[in-house]
Amino acid sequence: MSTVKETVEVDVPVHTAYNQWTQFEDFPNFMEGVEEITQLDDRHNHWTTKIGGVRREFDTEIIDQLPDERVTWRTTSGDVGQKGTVRFQRVDDTHTRVELVMDVEPSGAVEKAADLLGTIDRRVKGDMKRFKRYIEERGAESGAWRGRIKPGDASGPA
């Protein structure tokens, strides 16, 4: 399993950065290789990705979510194994530090080669730069979900 970490500072208030990150179906606008995300409920998402010509589908579960602070998830089924946390730190009234830490388990030969070549790390760095550009150009979030999910809460059906 590889750990990838990237931090960007965005020129929007912490609530704006956090609110945008909760809009999972917007991820294809700034995440390279993400074709579609379908939000199944408050905790579960279905992802479709295509990276290096390889299409993968998988489900994720939010296991910890605290407004304006963090979102933590893990995969629950499908072709990809990953877990991660994105943290939001207020710098001042109009700037936020966004830190993404992910553990990724490459699943196939293409993914394992990409991991060895540093492609996954570069992709995440690019995604974070695109998130910065996306939210700064918008100037406001496209929506928000401010609910609290605590570790150990019953997850319900996927």
Side-chain angles (χ1 to χ4, degrees):
M1 188 165 282
S2 294
T3 300
V4 180
K5 180 178 176 180
E6 181 64 14
T7 303
V8 295
E9 189 171 303
V10 295
D11 297 339
V12 297
V14 69
H15 68 273
T16 301
Y18 172 85
N19 288 348
Q20 185 59 58
W21 198 276
T22 67
Q23 301 306 293
F24 304 108
E25 293 182 350
D26 286 350
F27 280 17
N29 291 315
F30 58 87
M31 286 190 172
E32 185 180 353
V34 175
E35 291 189 333
E36 181 180 33
I37 297 177
T38 303
Q39 189 159 357
L40 305 173
D41 59 32
D42 290 342
R43 298 179 72 99
H44 301 94
N45 294 292
H46 180 79
W47 294 60
T48 303
T49 63
K50 188 173 183 183
I51 299 171
V54 177
R55 176 170 274 114
R56 300 272 188 225
E57 292 195 36
F58 57 97
D59 294 313
T60 58
E61 175 186 29
I62 305 296
I63 55 175
D64 184 19
Q65 186 165 338
L66 180 60
D68 297 340
E69 288 193 25
R70 68 182 171 271
V71 178
T72 301
W73 72 94
R74 65 178 174 199
T75 54
T76 58
S77 65
D79 300 329
V80 174
Q82 64 170 248
K83 60 183 176 179
T85 299
V86 61
R87 296 186 186 281
F88 303 86
Q89 180 183 13
R90 180 186 179 278
V91 175
D92 60 32
D93 288 347
T94 59
H95 297 88
T96 304
R97 186 170 294 112
V98 183
E99 177 189 69
L100 175 65
V101 179
M102 284 179 45
D103 291 324
V104 179
E105 182 68 45
S107 57
V110 171
E111 289 87 353
K112 289 177 182 173
D115 184 37
L116 290 172
L117 296 171
T119 304
I120 294 171
D121 189 59
R122 284 191 302 277
R123 182 172 300 260
V124 169
K125 288 181 186 321
D127 289 346
M128 293 299 285
K129 287 178 184 170
R130 284 184 291 277
F131 174 73
K132 174 181 172 61
R133 187 169 47 247
Y134 182 74
I135 191 60
E136 288 177 357
E137 286 176 359
R138 290 186 59 82
E141 61 270 35
S142 62
W145 189 77
R146 308 279 307 165
R148 171 73 168 116
I149 296 174
K150 297 178 186 173
D153 283 352
S155 65

